[in-house]
Amino acid sequence: MKLRYFAWVRERIGKPEEDVELPAGIATVAELITWLSSRGEEYAYAFENPKVIRAAIDRTHVRPNTAIKGAGEIAFFPPMTGG
Amino acid sequence: MKLRYFAWVRERIGKPEEDVELPAGIATVAELITWLSSRGEEYAYAFENPKVIRAAIDRTHVRPNTAIKGAGEIAFFPPMTGG
Amino acid sequence: MTVPATVRIQREPFDVAAETKTLTRGRTDAGAVVTFTGICRGAEGDESIAALTLEHYPGMAEAEIERHVAEATQRWPLLGVTVIHRYGRIVPGEDIVMVVTVSSHREAAFAAAEFLMDYLKTRAPFWKQVEKAGEKTWVDAKATDDAAAERWAAPGRDAAE
Amino acid sequence: MTVPATVRIQREPFDVAAETKTLTRGRTDAGAVVTFTGICRGAEGDESIAALTLEHYPGMAEAEIERHVAEATQRWPLLGVTVIHRYGRIVPGEDIVMVVTVSSHREAAFAAAEFLMDYLKTRAPFWKQVEKAGEKTWVDAKATDDAAAERWAAPGRDAAE
């Protein structure tokens, strides 16, 4: 599964994207965040406040309880500040 | 006193402006309209529905019960349709 | 600080882009620019429009718009405002009126532009005559425009002011 | 009838006047044009800003804005919409984003432009980094922007949609 990171999430993790093999039992966006946080200091730092993290599956905004099954690309980023 | 007419008020009366000598006892805009209406058919036609007539004294919108004392120029016109 | 405010009543066409540049050129405190342009349409329902002719009350039109521009600069933190209203004969596709508002933030720029347009529609002494199939008729004032202008009224304010 | 709708995400500057002409040229049903331009300011409070750098999520940014443009054309009787959002490094005085809406009447043009700007601020995947005194920091999302976007939400609508 392809993961993409933007803005300070990208800076904290130290890379813009990566391919990961998910362990069994990770069903939702929130569970994916919890698992990523356990992968190292940089991830723990990026996701230290999960409430502010936004996610998109295949380029559509999703909520923490959205199922990730079938996702091609999941992105994590801070609240948007465009416009 | 100088009177000015605009749009269909002007067309119905047949002139854009005139100077009039007011008889005594005309104190408000509404009274002025009543007096003008009595001056001839064209005035009666212009002011046949006084509720839609708007007025300005010295280039400021006023209401029917506004006193006309001291006015230099009084204008009558239909509701505005600019913009 | 005085807010740059320009009001012009003219027969000639105007250039919204040039007016906008005049307001924003050389300043870096502007974060939001809203422009409104009102254009003469070529039809109303099924009836085609040959032209509009706008009559105005010279002197009062400027004064009335200037009063509302001054009110807008008091109600919202504006950095600049320009209002231009044309009069005379205007054919479909030609511009009639423009408003440009400049502010640090978008809310003020949008609100002030809408406020000014609502007031121009209902309070500025202009009257539109429309030419359709060789006949000229005066355009009726719209209740929806009065309602739009009403939403800006301060409580207890005299409706004729 | 399909409403002409253009969404562009680009590094290059844009020309609001040219984009407006593209939308209105040759048509006489347009009665109202509203443009919004968002500009990089040179200061925030007492601190001067050297530049903004905008990061975006390519592909999603276009798709997300296109979805909201489509929603705007369903909610209001629009005759045309153009949205252009820049990315990359932008210095004070330069434009960041523009929206043009065209309609027969002003209410629809104003409402659609405000709706699109509120959504761009809160939903389009762009992130601003600000350079002040040699330091780069990510701009925090504003609660006021979220509140502004909320006012357009249909009742019962999923906040994450």
Side-chain angles (χ1 to χ4, degrees), chain C residues 46-153:
Chain C
D46 292 341
E47 297 180 295
S48 73
I49 292 172
L52 290 177
T53 301
L54 279 115
E55 179 171 334
H56 75 298
Y57 185 169
M60 180 170 172
E62 291 85 340
E64 186 66 22
I65 298 175
E66 278 164 8
R67 268 196 292 274
H68 285 109
V69 166
E71 184 175 340
T73 63
Q74 289 186 326
R75 290 175 79 146
W76 293 282
L78 301 179
L79 300 168
V81 187
T82 297
V83 177
I84 302 179
H85 203 308
R86 293 178 66 195
Y87 64 89
R89 192 166 186 273
I90 292 173
V91 297
E94 274 190 82
D95 295 340
I96 301 170
V97 61
M98 59 155 276
V99 169
V100 183
T101 54
V102 180
S103 180
S104 292
H105 297 287
R106 74 187 186 289
E107 295 84 357
F110 270 121
E114 287 192 69
F115 165 85
L116 287 168
M117 279 311 306
D118 286 346
Y119 269 97
L120 283 171
K121 287 267 173 190
T122 55
R123 307 287 296 167
F126 285 85
W127 301 273
K128 283 198 191 96
Q129 203 176 31
V130 62
E131 280 175 55
K132 286 177 188 169
E135 266 194 26
K136 287 188 172 189
T137 50
W138 293 98
V139 172
D140 277 333
K142 280 194 242 164
T144 51
D145 286 333
D146 287 333
E150 271 304 307
R151 68 191 160 129
W152 304 104

Side-chain angles (χ1 to χ4, degrees), chain D residues 43-77:
Chain D
E44 202 167 28
D46 292 342
E47 298 179 294
S48 73
I49 292 173
L52 290 177
T53 301
L54 278 114
E55 180 171 335
H56 75 298
Y57 185 169
M60 180 171 170
E62 289 87 337
E64 185 66 21
I65 298 174
E66 278 163 9
R67 268 196 292 274
H68 286 109
V69 167
E71 184 174 340
T73 63
Q74 289 186 326
R75 290 175 79 146
W76 293 281

Side-chain angles (χ1 to χ4, degrees), chain B residues 36-52:
Chain B
L36 283 168
S37 301
S38 73
R39 293 179 80 209
E41 241 175 43
E42 68 276 31
Y43 291 95
Y45 181 35
F47 295 112
E48 66 182 356
N49 185 2
K51 272 196 293 195
V52 304

